Amino acid sequence: GSGDGEDKVYNIATDTTFAPFEFQNAEGDYVGIDIELLAAIAEDQGFEYELNPLGFSAAVAALESNQTDAVIAGMSITDERKEKYDFSEPYYDSGVVMAISASNTEVTSYEDLEGKTVAVKVGTEGATFAESIKDQYGFELTYFEESPLMYEDVKTGNTAACFEDYPVMGYGISQGNGLKMVTDMEKGSSYGFAVMKGENTELLEMFDAGLANIRANGKYQEIIDKYIAAE
Ligand code: GLN
């Protein structure tokens, strides 16, 4: 290319397993809403990137230590995070929900968690929510790096419940992860694409411009519908 920017290959970090936003298919390729949105936006805007699936807390740590340019990982746009990162326009609405084993008939509310241990994923909005209510309801927390490990721990009865994003838990239950939801969703934040504050501004602008274009031309909805059945 002729210009400076043209040869740039952005490094974009993501979670390892956070279906339906990012996960590996039977061939081991990364697929999901985040993966396809990013591909469609990059194509629309003509930028190149390398996908870097690290896990959620590792992706955020890589961003902070300048080892990646951006994060797309079903990452919630929270006020606290906005102090450190710049986010794109929101691209998907989320919220936090409690899930328990499908065979559990004892837990129907947060009150039933008293004296029990609850699973959360390091650095997530679900963990922050659980931390905010654990003293009130008298439960302990145990931390996992990956969502599937957390679900497995709840399914086997090691932990009484977990807190996870509603769209992710809803998808997981529909795929037979052995869990169920018995409480309403807590209000949560929408997902956004993140860069460090004041850095990679051109990438963030391209993401927003591409997102607007794929919303307008139907590609955005096509990607969502491929992974999430219309209600
Ligand atoms: N949406 C949640 C958050 O941003 C969880 C993200 C994830 O686990 N990939 O904290």
Side-chain angles (χ1 to χ4, degrees):
S2 49
D4 269 359
E6 278 181 45
D7 299 312
K8 170 102 184 154
V9 178
Y10 293 102
N11 185 288
I12 300 181
T14 187
D15 202 341
T16 41
T17 311
F18 198 57
F21 293 90
E22 44 269 345
F23 59 104
Q24 286 171 283
N25 65 15
E27 286 75 47
D29 298 320
Y30 268 93
V31 293
I33 293 171
D34 285 346
I35 309 304
E36 292 205 32
L37 286 180
L38 179 60
I41 289 168
E43 190 184 0
D44 181 81
Q45 295 292 302
F47 68 81
E48 286 188 59
Y49 65 95
E50 201 180 317
L51 192 70
N52 192 2
L54 293 172
F56 184 67
S57 68
V60 174
L63 185 66
E64 295 197 359
S65 59
N66 213 16
Q67 284 164 6
T68 194
D69 293 306
V71 172
I72 187 160
M75 183 170 175
S76 307
I77 306 170
T78 65
D79 287 341
E80 200 187 344
R81 287 178 181 163
K82 281 200 287 195
E83 290 173 14
K84 287 158 99 180
Y85 321 118
D86 287 329
F87 284 97
S88 67
E89 289 299 316
Y91 65 83
Y92 201 84
D93 293 338
S94 190
V96 168
V97 74
M98 178 175 82
I100 60 174
S101 171
S103 61
N104 184 337
T105 52
E106 280 159 30
V107 174
T108 57
S109 66
Y110 299 156
E111 280 81 6
D112 298 324
L113 299 176
E114 186 167 4
K116 299 198 159 74
T117 305
V118 167
V120 292
K121 181 170 164 190
V122 178
T124 61
E125 197 176 28
T128 303
F129 176 71
E131 285 155 5
S132 77
I133 63 164
K134 69 186 257 289
D135 292 343
Q136 182 187 350
Y137 293 102
F139 60 84
E140 299 291 322
L141 294 177
T142 178
Y143 290 82
F144 292 86
E145 284 291 342
E146 298 196 37
S147 291
L149 300 176
M150 178 168 83
Y151 309 160
E152 201 51 38
D153 206 62
V154 176
K155 202 175 122 181
T156 60
N158 207 32
T159 35
C162 65
F163 284 90
E164 176 63 288
D165 290 2
Y166 181 84
V168 171
M169 185 50 64
Y171 180 87
I173 289 170
S174 77
Q175 300 295 305
N177 71 2
L179 305 186
K180 66 180 175 186
M181 298 183 272
V182 288
T183 53
D184 290 337
M185 177 177 90
E186 298 291 337
K187 201 191 138 13
S189 317
S190 300
Y191 295 160
F193 173 88
V195 295
M196 282 309 282
K197 210 165 200 33
E199 288 172 39
N200 282 303
T201 313
E202 73 299 329
L203 176 60
L204 189 61
E205 282 168 4
M206 287 191 286
F207 188 93
D208 276 333
L211 179 61
N213 287 344
I214 66 167
R215 277 191 197 274
N217 69 19
K219 183 74 189 165
Y220 170 89
Q221 198 56 46
E222 194 183 296
I223 293 169
I224 300 296
D225 291 346
K226 183 171 163 185
Y227 292 98
I228 296 181
E231 309 267 308

